[in-house]
Amino acid sequence: MGQRDLAGDRPRCGSCGGRGGVIDGLPTMSDADSTDEFEPVQVFETTDMDLRPGSDDCYKCSTCDTSCPVAEVDDEFPGPKFQGPEQWRLKRKEGHAVDDSITGCSNCMRCDDACPSSVPLSQMHNTARGEYVESQRFGRETLAALRRGKPREALEIVDEGRQGLVERVRNRILANYRTSAWFASKMPRLANRAMNFGPARWLMEKTLGVTSEREFPAFAEQTFREWWAERGGAHVENPEQRVAYFHGCYSNFNTTEVGKAMVRVYEAFGYEVLVPPQQCSGTPMFANGMLDDARRHAETNVANLAAAIDGGADVIASCTSCSMALRQEYPELFDLDGIESVAAHTYEALEYLRLHEDLEGALAEADVDAGEFAYHAPCHARNQGLDRQAIELFADLDGATVEDVGDSCSGISGTYGWKEEKYDYSMAIGEEMFEHMDAADGETGMTECPTCAMQMEHGTGYEIRHPLELLEEALV
Amino acid sequence: MAIEDDVCVVGGGLAGMTSAIRAARKGARVRLVSHKKSTLRHASGLVDVLGYTPDGELVAEPFDALSALPEGHPYRRVGTDAVRAGLDLFDQVAGDAYRGNHTDTNALVPTHGGTVKPTARYPQSVAAGLASRSEETLFVGFETLTAFDAPLAADHLAAAGVPSRTRGVTVDFPGEFRADSRVTRFARALDENETIETTDGPTTARRALAAAVEPHLDGAGRVGFPAILGEDEPSAVRTALETRLGVEAFEVPMGPPSLPGLRLEELFDAALDEWGVRRTTGNPVVDFEADGGRIRAVYVDRNGQRTPFHADQFVLATGGLVGKGIDSDRTGVVEPVFDCHVPHPGDRYEWFADEAFGDHPFARFGVAVDDDLRPLDAGGGVEYGNLRAAGGVLGGADFAAEKSGSGISLATGHAAGRAAGEAV
Ligand SMILES: Cc1cc2nc3c(=O)[nH]c(=O)nc-3n(C[C@H](O)[C@H](O)[C@H](O)COP(=O)(O)OP(=O)(O)OC[C@H]3O[C@@H](n4cnc5c(N)ncnc54)[C@H](O)[C@@H]3O)c2cc1C
Ligand code: SF4
Ligand code: SF4
């Protein structure tokens, strides 16, 4: 895994070939000429992952460290500055692999927003995590140790590897939620019982490190896609106004009411809804360093969504981590045909309506009997500039009050809060949100993110709704 | 259709937030669009109006010195009344958390580098440390927080001739924190008064910190800590330390990341909420749409996707060379959002002085404006009838040398926000 110098004649990628690059590794130009800056995709054209270009922009002000929810509670976690820029510097030294503290990062992406120098921190973390997981292939190292005539070291490597293996299996299971969910959806009732069956959960914690504190989300009796097929697909045909719905795993297998609300609201505005075949967005895989898995899923998603875009559709997602993946993480991490088009045509579901319809006007005229909500903005909504959208939109809706419970992280961050060793940290991070929810007038929660919803419910016992459900109640 | 407001402010620093609040108070529907979070968390939390004249002389009474500033200086554009009005707005936002509004005279605040800084408003937590007071002062630094070397700072202050005796000591922050713990981690431990393991058994963070400092007091009348004394509960933390030590405690403002700056950011956030300012942050404004000499909309970019924000009036508050509101490359100096004219010498070698700390022309680069703060083109005409500029993006002032950064942001933010609010 030597550090290959980036200088040289790497090929340009098909989709962004026209761009300049970071070929000598040093972004020399100022922001005025940002096309000459760090171009992440090009880094990945080599098999070696590289953390350097972002490192050079870091002037060590440590502001990113103040926004990291994990660093705030976990003394073992050295913070985003270390994970990005410093990991690279360390790695330059002979014999230093990516430090395992990278596995502590929950991929909340809050540090991105904080850096005044636009260091692509979360992307560097994704990269470092990928490299870390890659480096865990201990077989190669064992052989090398044997070749060097160091059998004891080889044994140690094997032993460490065995322990690491359990963690990897666990992470893989958590990250590949879609696969488990697919099985479970075949017999939802049994799965719901089995997944939360006490002794089984105890066993999962002891053998796999999946915390037994949490309840697995309930699987719907009928998946969103099954419902979609049963209703005969779209009820509106409209070549002028078309959206392709990226439902993601949760609204397909668990919170199907969100997907249905989305369809009904969009059809009420006269949109034709397409539901292209799709895989997991990859978010849980990025967070666990499984970039190969994520890429496989991304290939399917990009191909199908790009085809829908060619057919005149824009892409919308109801989960903010899914839209984040399609808009930002894909083009940062992968070089696939059509990826830039998908990124440029993807929107969050409310955002899209807001941009294209007079949503505020419609809401000002509507009234509902919905009461008060305690709203939490997911971290991944924040980076998309959507963290205040629901509050703003529902401000003039009669019969509903949506109150912001502050800008703390919910603490679950997808798979992070499911890991036995992270559970307590996850709850410590969430504490502030729970308190604010308690203090808010509403006894129903609201958020766009399905895992945040899980944490909100877990910490307060509140029922949690998605803004689309309120929109459906108001407009359909 | 789309997103429409009366006033759209581009940039979320002190200038942008001030103009947004001011315009909202005029009854306008206001949106603040900002790439990054407010830059307050990089700043010291001190609010300077004017600390030094352009000739480098220390200013005791900033308001008296304003009229002597050069013609194009932002303070001259808006006038002394706007400076006072901007500070009034600040005082309302900051409330009890800040001091200094009882006088027009600059206060002298010791900094983490051991210098004394003239400033107009300072956090309550800094008050007991003012350099003009005469009690003997003990400065406490922590082994793991290398940004504040207490003995060195104490020596520098003594050399600067402050009227009090100063001493510095470095102690271990009690408890088992990692060697490179962040200021926010210490602040949280103190906020929550976490249980801490010491050699004498478990105790609480505030109590343990006082115990670590007590043996060094030795008759000092006040104790200065780096600014890490709590993020949410700074006054409770300070009071607890004062009660245990029996002397006043204060914070020394630090470089980034700055807790006083973070606390100030929270106060401004609350004020923005109170006035119903709508906010969209996280992505940069990269383009705009104009017709007939008026801006119609600005475009926010994310990965090639452009979201328009329409408004009737616009305020440009994107900061200076640091905030990225002004940018330069080898061929020239530009204002990247609206491409407003930025006066600068054609010859790049005339942009800076030879000495590192010389009087660099680039420090004063920024857009030129008329008395209504509307940016001017190369010919001296108004660029856009409904665009005003405020804060660091304005030319004609060397914030860093004059110690005038926040004051200019408040004064021009106030003036631009009021004018924009009135124009809708
Ligand atoms: C390290 C540091 C220390 C300081 N210390 C002091 C001090 O001790 N005393 C004092 O009085 N002042 C101090 N200042 C100055 C002061 O805090 C402010 O920086 C100054 O008032 C300028 O404020 P501003 O609002 O004009 O710009 P900034 O604070 O620079 O804010 C600019 C904002 O615009 C946003 N922006 C930029 N480009 C775009 C775009 N294209 N689209 C959308 N948003 C954009 C940025 O993200 C940022 O939020 C300090 C500044 C720094 C950086
Ligand atoms: S992504 Fe979140 S958890 Fe990871 S380093 Fe950044 S702020 Fe911390
Ligand atoms: S905020 Fe940016 S520049 Fe500052 S330490 Fe973090 S990565 Fe580096």
Side-chain angles (χ1 to χ4, degrees), chain A residues 451-470:
Chain A
T451 44
C452 287
M454 238 183 257
Q455 176 87 332
M456 291 164 82
E457 189 193 333
H458 185 61
T460 61
Y462 290 4
E463 183 194 357
I464 317 295
R465 313 303 301 273
H466 190 286
L468 276 168
E469 295 176 68
L470 182 56

mmCIF file with all atom_site columns, all heavy atoms in Angstrom, chain A residues 451-470:
data_model
loop_
_atom_site.group_PDB
_atom_site.id
_atom_site.type_symbol
_atom_site.label_atom_id
_atom_site.label_alt_id
_atom_site.label_comp_id
_atom_site.label_asym_id
_atom_site.label_entity_id
_atom_site.label_seq_id
_atom_site.pdbx_PDB_ins_code
_atom_site.Cartn_x
_atom_site.Cartn_y
_atom_site.Cartn_z
_atom_site.occupancy
_atom_site.B_iso_or_equiv
_atom_site.pdbx_formal_charge
_atom_site.auth_seq_id
_atom_site.auth_comp_id
_atom_site.auth_asym_id
_atom_site.auth_atom_id
_atom_site.pdbx_PDB_model_num
ATOM 1   N N   . THR A 1 451 ? -33.306 6.907  10.708 1.00 0.00 ? 451 THR A N   1
ATOM 2   C CA  . THR A 1 451 ? -32.570 6.458  11.897 1.00 0.00 ? 451 THR A CA  1
ATOM 3   C C   . THR A 1 451 ? -32.648 7.498  13.008 1.00 0.00 ? 451 THR A C   1
ATOM 4   O O   . THR A 1 451 ? -32.725 7.139  14.179 1.00 0.00 ? 451 THR A O   1
ATOM 5   C CB  . THR A 1 451 ? -31.104 6.057  11.603 1.00 0.00 ? 451 THR A CB  1
ATOM 6   O OG1 . THR A 1 451 ? -30.516 7.008  10.758 1.00 0.00 ? 451 THR A OG1 1
ATOM 7   C CG2 . THR A 1 451 ? -31.038 4.689  10.990 1.00 0.00 ? 451 THR A CG2 1
ATOM 8   N N   . CYS A 1 452 ? -32.632 8.783  12.650 1.00 0.00 ? 452 CYS A N   1
ATOM 9   C CA  . CYS A 1 452 ? -32.864 9.810  13.680 1.00 0.00 ? 452 CYS A CA  1
ATOM 10  C C   . CYS A 1 452 ? -34.210 9.550  14.345 1.00 0.00 ? 452 CYS A C   1
ATOM 11  O O   . CYS A 1 452 ? -34.359 9.666  15.560 1.00 0.00 ? 452 CYS A O   1
ATOM 12  C CB  . CYS A 1 452 ? -32.877 11.218 13.094 1.00 0.00 ? 452 CYS A CB  1
ATOM 13  S SG  . CYS A 1 452 ? -31.260 11.840 12.603 1.00 0.00 ? 452 CYS A SG  1
ATOM 14  N N   . ALA A 1 453 ? -35.206 9.191  13.535 1.00 0.00 ? 453 ALA A N   1
ATOM 15  C CA  . ALA A 1 453 ? -36.536 8.925  14.069 1.00 0.00 ? 453 ALA A CA  1
ATOM 16  C C   . ALA A 1 453 ? -36.470 7.797  15.099 1.00 0.00 ? 453 ALA A C   1
ATOM 17  O O   . ALA A 1 453 ? -37.091 7.868  16.158 1.00 0.00 ? 453 ALA A O   1
ATOM 18  C CB  . ALA A 1 453 ? -37.498 8.563  12.935 1.00 0.00 ? 453 ALA A CB  1
ATOM 19  N N   . MET A 1 454 ? -35.692 6.776  14.785 1.00 0.00 ? 454 MET A N   1
ATOM 20  C CA  . MET A 1 454 ? -35.528 5.650  15.706 1.00 0.00 ? 454 MET A CA  1
ATOM 21  C C   . MET A 1 454 ? -34.955 6.119  17.036 1.00 0.00 ? 454 MET A C   1
ATOM 22  O O   . MET A 1 454 ? -35.419 5.735  18.108 1.00 0.00 ? 454 MET A O   1
ATOM 23  C CB  . MET A 1 454 ? -34.498 4.705  15.077 1.00 0.00 ? 454 MET A CB  1
ATOM 24  C CG  . MET A 1 454 ? -34.947 3.314  14.840 1.00 0.00 ? 454 MET A CG  1
ATOM 25  S SD  . MET A 1 454 ? -33.495 2.472  14.196 1.00 0.00 ? 454 MET A SD  1
ATOM 26  C CE  . MET A 1 454 ? -33.902 2.403  12.483 1.00 0.00 ? 454 MET A CE  1
ATOM 27  N N   . GLN A 1 455 ? -33.936 6.970  16.948 1.00 0.00 ? 455 GLN A N   1
ATOM 28  C CA  . GLN A 1 455 ? -33.290 7.469  18.152 1.00 0.00 ? 455 GLN A CA  1
ATOM 29  C C   . GLN A 1 455 ? -34.246 8.370  18.945 1.00 0.00 ? 455 GLN A C   1
ATOM 30  O O   . GLN A 1 455 ? -34.309 8.302  20.166 1.00 0.00 ? 455 GLN A O   1
ATOM 31  C CB  . GLN A 1 455 ? -32.018 8.244  17.759 1.00 0.00 ? 455 GLN A CB  1
ATOM 32  C CG  . GLN A 1 455 ? -31.302 8.912  18.919 1.00 0.00 ? 455 GLN A CG  1
ATOM 33  C CD  . GLN A 1 455 ? -30.314 7.969  19.595 1.00 0.00 ? 455 GLN A CD  1
ATOM 34  O OE1 . GLN A 1 455 ? -30.493 6.750  19.579 1.00 0.00 ? 455 GLN A OE1 1
ATOM 35  N NE2 . GLN A 1 455 ? -29.276 8.524  20.189 1.00 0.00 ? 455 GLN A NE2 1
ATOM 36  N N   . MET A 1 456 ? -34.987 9.214  18.235 1.00 0.00 ? 456 MET A N   1
ATOM 37  C CA  . MET A 1 456 ? -35.924 10.119 18.902 1.00 0.00 ? 456 MET A CA  1
ATOM 38  C C   . MET A 1 456 ? -36.964 9.310  19.672 1.00 0.00 ? 456 MET A C   1
ATOM 39  O O   . MET A 1 456 ? -37.303 9.603  20.812 1.00 0.00 ? 456 MET A O   1
ATOM 40  C CB  . MET A 1 456 ? -36.616 11.026 17.871 1.00 0.00 ? 456 MET A CB  1
ATOM 41  C CG  . MET A 1 456 ? -35.690 12.043 17.223 1.00 0.00 ? 456 MET A CG  1
ATOM 42  S SD  . MET A 1 456 ? -36.393 12.761 15.721 1.00 0.00 ? 456 MET A SD  1
ATOM 43  C CE  . MET A 1 456 ? -37.473 14.025 16.387 1.00 0.00 ? 456 MET A CE  1
ATOM 44  N N   . GLU A 1 457 ? -37.448 8.274  19.027 1.00 0.00 ? 457 GLU A N   1
ATOM 45  C CA  . GLU A 1 457 ? -38.449 7.435  19.663 1.00 0.00 ? 457 GLU A CA  1
ATOM 46  C C   . GLU A 1 457 ? -37.850 6.680  20.849 1.00 0.00 ? 457 GLU A C   1
ATOM 47  O O   . GLU A 1 457 ? -38.429 6.622  21.931 1.00 0.00 ? 457 GLU A O   1
ATOM 48  C CB  . GLU A 1 457 ? -39.005 6.446  18.635 1.00 0.00 ? 457 GLU A CB  1
ATOM 49  C CG  . GLU A 1 457 ? -40.204 5.694  19.148 1.00 0.00 ? 457 GLU A CG  1
ATOM 50  C CD  . GLU A 1 457 ? -40.576 4.500  18.283 1.00 0.00 ? 457 GLU A CD  1
ATOM 51  O OE1 . GLU A 1 457 ? -40.271 4.520  17.072 1.00 0.00 ? 457 GLU A OE1 1
ATOM 52  O OE2 . GLU A 1 457 ? -41.150 3.552  18.835 1.00 0.00 ? 457 GLU A OE2 1
ATOM 53  N N   . HIS A 1 458 ? -36.647 6.173  20.630 1.00 0.00 ? 458 HIS A N   1
ATOM 54  C CA  . HIS A 1 458 ? -35.956 5.407  21.661 1.00 0.00 ? 458 HIS A CA  1
ATOM 55  C C   . HIS A 1 458 ? -35.715 6.261  22.909 1.00 0.00 ? 458 HIS A C   1
ATOM 56  O O   . HIS A 1 458 ? -35.869 5.802  24.034 1.00 0.00 ? 458 HIS A O   1
ATOM 57  C CB  . HIS A 1 458 ? -34.629 4.916  21.087 1.00 0.00 ? 458 HIS A CB  1
ATOM 58  C CG  . HIS A 1 458 ? -33.850 4.015  21.985 1.00 0.00 ? 458 HIS A CG  1
ATOM 59  N ND1 . HIS A 1 458 ? -34.332 2.814  22.424 1.00 0.00 ? 458 HIS A ND1 1
ATOM 60  C CD2 . HIS A 1 458 ? -32.607 4.154  22.525 1.00 0.00 ? 458 HIS A CD2 1
ATOM 61  C CE1 . HIS A 1 458 ? -33.415 2.235  23.196 1.00 0.00 ? 458 HIS A CE1 1
ATOM 62  N NE2 . HIS A 1 458 ? -32.369 3.024  23.276 1.00 0.00 ? 458 HIS A NE2 1
ATOM 63  N N   . GLY A 1 459 ? -35.346 7.538  22.692 1.00 0.00 ? 459 GLY A N   1
ATOM 64  C CA  . GLY A 1 459 ? -34.982 8.390  23.823 1.00 0.00 ? 459 GLY A CA  1
ATOM 65  C C   . GLY A 1 459 ? -36.163 9.053  24.517 1.00 0.00 ? 459 GLY A C   1
ATOM 66  O O   . GLY A 1 459 ? -36.039 9.485  25.662 1.00 0.00 ? 459 GLY A O   1
ATOM 67  N N   . THR A 1 460 ? -37.305 9.164  23.824 1.00 0.00 ? 460 THR A N   1
ATOM 68  C CA  . THR A 1 460 ? -38.417 9.917  24.415 1.00 0.00 ? 460 THR A CA  1
ATOM 69  C C   . THR A 1 460 ? -39.725 9.142  24.436 1.00 0.00 ? 460 THR A C   1
ATOM 70  O O   . THR A 1 460 ? -40.663 9.537  25.116 1.00 0.00 ? 460 THR A O   1
ATOM 71  C CB  . THR A 1 460 ? -38.706 11.210 23.618 1.00 0.00 ? 460 THR A CB  1
ATOM 72  O OG1 . THR A 1 460 ? -39.070 10.839 22.288 1.00 0.00 ? 460 THR A OG1 1
ATOM 73  C CG2 . THR A 1 460 ? -37.489 12.111 23.576 1.00 0.00 ? 460 THR A CG2 1
ATOM 74  N N   . GLY A 1 461 ? -39.813 8.078  23.662 1.00 0.00 ? 461 GLY A N   1
ATOM 75  C CA  . GLY A 1 461 ? -41.063 7.341  23.571 1.00 0.00 ? 461 GLY A CA  1
ATOM 76  C C   . GLY A 1 461 ? -42.092 8.016  22.668 1.00 0.00 ? 461 GLY A C   1
ATOM 77  O O   . GLY A 1 461 ? -43.211 7.538  22.522 1.00 0.00 ? 461 GLY A O   1
ATOM 78  N N   . TYR A 1 462 ? -41.706 9.132  22.042 1.00 0.00 ? 462 TYR A N   1
ATOM 79  C CA  . TYR A 1 462 ? -42.655 9.830  21.164 1.00 0.00 ? 462 TYR A CA  1
ATOM 80  C C   . TYR A 1 462 ? -42.857 9.059  19.857 1.00 0.00 ? 462 TYR A C   1
ATOM 81  O O   . TYR A 1 462 ? -41.958 8.391  19.369 1.00 0.00 ? 462 TYR A O   1
ATOM 82  C CB  . TYR A 1 462 ? -42.122 11.224 20.794 1.00 0.00 ? 462 TYR A CB  1
ATOM 83  C CG  . TYR A 1 462 ? -42.109 12.226 21.910 1.00 0.00 ? 462 TYR A CG  1
ATOM 84  C CD1 . TYR A 1 462 ? -42.463 11.880 23.204 1.00 0.00 ? 462 TYR A CD1 1
ATOM 85  C CD2 . TYR A 1 462 ? -41.733 13.541 21.660 1.00 0.00 ? 462 TYR A CD2 1
ATOM 86  C CE1 . TYR A 1 462 ? -42.444 12.811 24.227 1.00 0.00 ? 462 TYR A CE1 1
ATOM 87  C CE2 . TYR A 1 462 ? -41.707 14.488 22.677 1.00 0.00 ? 462 TYR A CE2 1
ATOM 88  C CZ  . TYR A 1 462 ? -42.061 14.109 23.958 1.00 0.00 ? 462 TYR A CZ  1
ATOM 89  O OH  . TYR A 1 462 ? -42.024 15.029 24.956 1.00 0.00 ? 462 TYR A OH  1
ATOM 90  N N   . GLU A 1 463 ? -44.011 9.258  19.295 1.00 0.00 ? 463 GLU A N   1
ATOM 91  C CA  . GLU A 1 463 ? -44.234 8.786  17.934 1.00 0.00 ? 463 GLU A CA  1
ATOM 92  C C   . GLU A 1 463 ? -43.584 9.801  16.995 1.00 0.00 ? 463 GLU A C   1
ATOM 93  O O   . GLU A 1 463 ? -43.631 11.003 17.256 1.00 0.00 ? 463 GLU A O   1
ATOM 94  C CB  . GLU A 1 463 ? -45.731 8.711  17.685 1.00 0.00 ? 463 GLU A CB  1
ATOM 95  C CG  . GLU A 1 463 ? -46.100 8.172  16.326 1.00 0.00 ? 463 GLU A CG  1
ATOM 96  C CD  . GLU A 1 463 ? -47.566 8.439  15.979 1.00 0.00 ? 463 GLU A CD  1
ATOM 97  O OE1 . GLU A 1 463 ? -48.293 8.989  16.843 1.00 0.00 ? 463 GLU A OE1 1
ATOM 98  O OE2 . GLU A 1 463 ? -47.958 8.118  14.864 1.00 0.00 ? 463 GLU A OE2 1
ATOM 99  N N   . ILE A 1 464 ? -42.971 9.335  15.908 1.00 0.00 ? 464 ILE A N   1
ATOM 100 C CA  . ILE A 1 464 ? -42.241 10.252 15.039 1.00 0.00 ? 464 ILE A CA  1
ATOM 101 C C   . ILE A 1 464 ? -42.849 10.249 13.632 1.00 0.00 ? 464 ILE A C   1
ATOM 102 O O   . ILE A 1 464 ? -43.078 9.200  13.053 1.00 0.00 ? 464 ILE A O   1
ATOM 103 C CB  . ILE A 1 464 ? -40.748 9.873  14.929 1.00 0.00 ? 464 ILE A CB  1
ATOM 104 C CG1 . ILE A 1 464 ? -40.168 9.489  16.290 1.00 0.00 ? 464 ILE A CG1 1
ATOM 105 C CG2 . ILE A 1 464 ? -39.961 11.002 14.257 1.00 0.00 ? 464 ILE A CG2 1
ATOM 106 C CD1 . ILE A 1 464 ? -40.116 10.567 17.321 1.00 0.00 ? 464 ILE A CD1 1
ATOM 107 N N   . ARG A 1 465 ? -43.098 11.423 13.095 1.00 0.00 ? 465 ARG A N   1
ATOM 108 C CA  . ARG A 1 465 ? -43.647 11.522 11.745 1.00 0.00 ? 465 ARG A CA  1
ATOM 109 C C   . ARG A 1 465 ? -42.647 12.171 10.797 1.00 0.00 ? 465 ARG A C   1
ATOM 110 O O   . ARG A 1 465 ? -41.696 12.824 11.227 1.00 0.00 ? 465 ARG A O   1
ATOM 111 C CB  . ARG A 1 465 ? -44.945 12.369 11.749 1.00 0.00 ? 465 ARG A CB  1
ATOM 112 C CG  . ARG A 1 465 ? -45.925 12.026 12.819 1.00 0.00 ? 465 ARG A CG  1
ATOM 113 C CD  . ARG A 1 465 ? -46.352 10.561 12.778 1.00 0.00 ? 465 ARG A CD  1
ATOM 114 N NE  . ARG A 1 465 ? -46.961 10.167 11.530 1.00 0.00 ? 465 ARG A NE  1
ATOM 115 C CZ  . ARG A 1 465 ? -48.253 10.290 11.251 1.00 0.00 ? 465 ARG A CZ  1
ATOM 116 N NH1 . ARG A 1 465 ? -49.081 10.799 12.145 1.00 0.00 ? 465 ARG A NH1 1
ATOM 117 N NH2 . ARG A 1 465 ? -48.724 9.888  10.100 1.00 0.00 ? 465 ARG A NH2 1
ATOM 118 N N   . HIS A 1 466 ? -42.914 12.013 9.514  1.00 0.00 ? 466 HIS A N   1
ATOM 119 C CA  . HIS A 1 466 ? -42.090 12.631 8.471  1.00 0.00 ? 466 HIS A CA  1
ATOM 120 C C   . HIS A 1 466 ? -42.844 13.859 7.949  1.00 0.00 ? 466 HIS A C   1
ATOM 121 O O   . HIS A 1 466 ? -44.074 13.814 7.848  1.00 0.00 ? 466 HIS A O   1
ATOM 122 C CB  . HIS A 1 466 ? -41.885 11.607 7.342  1.00 0.00 ? 466 HIS A CB  1
ATOM 123 C CG  . HIS A 1 466 ? -40.865 12.017 6.323  1.00 0.00 ? 466 HIS A CG  1
ATOM 124 N ND1 . HIS A 1 466 ? -41.111 12.986 5.385  1.00 0.00 ? 466 HIS A ND1 1
ATOM 125 C CD2 . HIS A 1 466 ? -39.587 11.590 6.096  1.00 0.00 ? 466 HIS A CD2 1
ATOM 126 C CE1 . HIS A 1 466 ? -40.027 13.135 4.612  1.00 0.00 ? 466 HIS A CE1 1
ATOM 127 N NE2 . HIS A 1 466 ? -39.093 12.296 5.027  1.00 0.00 ? 466 HIS A NE2 1
ATOM 128 N N   . PRO A 1 467 ? -42.135 14.955 7.617  1.00 0.00 ? 467 PRO A N   1
ATOM 129 C CA  . PRO A 1 467 ? -42.836 16.137 7.111  1.00 0.00 ? 467 PRO A CA  1
ATOM 130 C C   . PRO A 1 467 ? -43.786 15.822 5.949  1.00 0.00 ? 467 PRO A C   1
ATOM 131 O O   . PRO A 1 467 ? -44.842 16.457 5.815  1.00 0.00 ? 467 PRO A O   1
ATOM 132 C CB  . PRO A 1 467 ? -41.706 17.054 6.647  1.00 0.00 ? 467 PRO A CB  1
ATOM 133 C CG  . PRO A 1 467 ? -40.529 16.656 7.456  1.00 0.00 ? 467 PRO A CG  1
ATOM 134 C CD  . PRO A 1 467 ? -40.696 15.197 7.770  1.00 0.00 ? 467 PRO A CD  1
ATOM 135 N N   . LEU A 1 468 ? -43.438 14.829 5.126  1.00 0.00 ? 468 LEU A N   1
ATOM 136 C CA  . LEU A 1 468 ? -44.311 14.483 3.996  1.00 0.00 ? 468 LEU A CA  1
ATOM 137 C C   . LEU A 1 468 ? -45.683 14.026 4.465  1.00 0.00 ? 468 LEU A C   1
ATOM 138 O O   . LEU A 1 468 ? -46.693 14.221 3.782  1.00 0.00 ? 468 LEU A O   1
ATOM 139 C CB  . LEU A 1 468 ? -43.669 13.376 3.148  1.00 0.00 ? 468 LEU A CB  1
ATOM 140 C CG  . LEU A 1 468 ? -42.654 13.815 2.092  1.00 0.00 ? 468 LEU A CG  1
ATOM 141 C CD1 . LEU A 1 468 ? -41.919 12.603 1.553  1.00 0.00 ? 468 LEU A CD1 1
ATOM 142 C CD2 . LEU A 1 468 ? -43.339 14.596 0.969  1.00 0.00 ? 468 LEU A CD2 1
ATOM 143 N N   . GLU A 1 469 ? -45.708 13.384 5.636  1.00 0.00 ? 469 GLU A N   1
ATOM 144 C CA  . GLU A 1 469 ? -47.000 12.912 6.138  1.00 0.00 ? 469 GLU A CA  1
ATOM 145 C C   . GLU A 1 469 ? -47.886 14.090 6.521  1.00 0.00 ? 469 GLU A C   1
ATOM 146 O O   . GLU A 1 469 ? -49.098 14.068 6.291  1.00 0.00 ? 469 GLU A O   1
ATOM 147 C CB  . GLU A 1 469 ? -46.786 11.979 7.334  1.00 0.00 ? 469 GLU A CB  1
ATOM 148 C CG  . GLU A 1 469 ? -46.054 10.701 6.950  1.00 0.00 ? 469 GLU A CG  1
ATOM 149 C CD  . GLU A 1 469 ? -45.763 9.846  8.169  1.00 0.00 ? 469 GLU A CD  1
ATOM 150 O OE1 . GLU A 1 469 ? -46.712 9.322  8.770  1.00 0.00 ? 469 GLU A OE1 1
ATOM 151 O OE2 . GLU A 1 469 ? -44.578 9.720  8.534  1.00 0.00 ? 469 GLU A OE2 1
ATOM 152 N N   . LEU A 1 470 ? -47.271 15.131 7.087  1.00 0.00 ? 470 LEU A N   1
ATOM 153 C CA  . LEU A 1 470 ? -48.042 16.320 7.425  1.00 0.00 ? 470 LEU A CA  1
ATOM 154 C C   . LEU A 1 470 ? -48.490 17.041 6.149  1.00 0.00 ? 470 LEU A C   1
ATOM 155 O O   . LEU A 1 470 ? -49.610 17.541 6.051  1.00 0.00 ? 470 LEU A O   1
ATOM 156 C CB  . LEU A 1 470 ? -47.204 17.260 8.312  1.00 0.00 ? 470 LEU A CB  1
ATOM 157 C CG  . LEU A 1 470 ? -47.887 18.532 8.803  1.00 0.00 ? 470 LEU A CG  1
ATOM 158 C CD1 . LEU A 1 470 ? -49.173 18.224 9.565  1.00 0.00 ? 470 LEU A CD1 1
ATOM 159 C CD2 . LEU A 1 470 ? -46.941 19.339 9.706  1.00 0.00 ? 470 LEU A CD2 1
#
